[in-house]
């Protein structure tokens, strides 16, 4: 029975903690900072409010994990996530780590289309990617900071 409980507690993905340790098993007394999906760390929460694209890029850049600045993640990364059948498990784990599920809202990506437009995505939309004006007035979009781990030496 004890072994079954331990298996039930294992995470579907590695979780990174404040000390940069990663584990699929909950670490007692450690605070999670994000979920590792592929070669990226997805932070637990969105920006506190919707904002224009430039403000969203600044917001992400100011989120530091292990001294490294986050970004909004490029379209290629979010496309991989949107096509992965494990997306539901990711949402469950985000909630389990006291974060927010990706849910339905639109979020900015790092990817620009031109000087006036950038891509945004919504995980549960029929068409998950769309263009929006970077400076879209009072409407804006949220952003989920991610850290590209590929070129880091953690």
């Amino acid at each position: 029975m004890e072994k079954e409980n331990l298996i039930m507690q294992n995470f579907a993905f590695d979780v990174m903690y404040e000390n940069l340790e990663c584990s699929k098993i909950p670490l007692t007394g450690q605070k999670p900072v994000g979920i590792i999906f592929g070669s990226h760390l997805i932070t637990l929460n969105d920006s506190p409010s919707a904002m224009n694209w430039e403000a969203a890029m600044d917001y992400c850049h100011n989120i530091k994990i292990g001294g490294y600045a986050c970004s909004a993640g490029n379209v290629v990364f979010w496309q991989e996530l949107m096509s992965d059948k494990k997306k539901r498990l990711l949402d469950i784990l985000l909630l389990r780590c006291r974060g927010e599920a990706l849910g339905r809202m639109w979020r900015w990506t790092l990817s620009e289309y031109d000087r006036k437009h950038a891509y945004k995505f919504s995980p549960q939309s029929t068409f998950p990617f769309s263009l929006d004006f970077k400076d879209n007035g009072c409407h804006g979009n949220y952003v989920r900071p991610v850290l590209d781990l590929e070129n880091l030496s953690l």
Side-chain angles (χ1 to χ4, degrees):
M1 182 71 170
E2 185 176 322
K3 185 176 181 179
E4 289 174 352
N5 286 339
L6 181 61
I7 291 170
M8 292 291 289
Q9 291 181 353
N10 287 355
F11 299 141
F13 303 98
D14 278 328
V15 172
M16 183 182 283
Y17 293 87
E18 282 182 316
N19 65 356
L20 305 184
E21 187 173 351
C22 298
S23 177
K24 283 191 177 177
I25 298 171
L27 300 180
T28 307
Q30 306 249 3
K31 182 180 176 188
V33 294
I35 312 301
I36 296 177
F37 188 89
S39 62
H40 289 77
L41 173 80
I42 303 171
T43 59
L44 299 178
N45 297 295
D46 290 324
S47 56
S49 61
M51 55 189 74
N52 69 34
W53 185 81
E54 188 175 320
M57 298 308 105
D58 287 343
Y59 174 81
C60 289
H61 188 73
N62 287 320
I63 302 292
K64 305 270 195 282
I65 297 173
Y68 297 99
C70 290
S71 76
N74 63 37
V75 167
V76 173
F77 165 71
W78 292 114
Q79 283 174 329
E80 288 172 13
L81 176 65
M82 296 302 114
S83 66
D84 196 301
K85 294 177 183 175
K86 297 176 184 173
K87 186 172 47 177
R88 186 174 171 285
L89 293 173
L90 177 67
D91 273 346
I92 291 168
L93 185 52
L94 284 164
L95 292 170
R96 188 169 171 195
C97 290
R98 302 195 192 291
E100 301 167 308
L102 290 175
R104 299 182 181 271
M105 75 174 69
W106 287 95
R107 292 178 186 82
W108 287 116
T109 73
L110 176 64
S111 302
E112 298 176 82
Y113 179 74
D114 59 24
R115 289 183 327 141
K116 292 185 177 185
H117 300 89
Y119 287 95
K120 63 181 181 176
F121 76 96
S122 175
Q124 295 182 354
S125 174
T126 305
F127 302 100
F129 293 91
S130 178
L131 287 175
D132 201 350
F133 287 101
K134 290 180 182 179
D135 188 15
N136 54 5
C138 62
H139 299 290
N141 296 294
Y142 287 82
V143 66
R144 176 67 61 110
V146 299
L147 182 62
D148 185 347
L149 301 171
E150 234 171 30
N151 300 318
L152 304 181
S153 55
L154 296 176

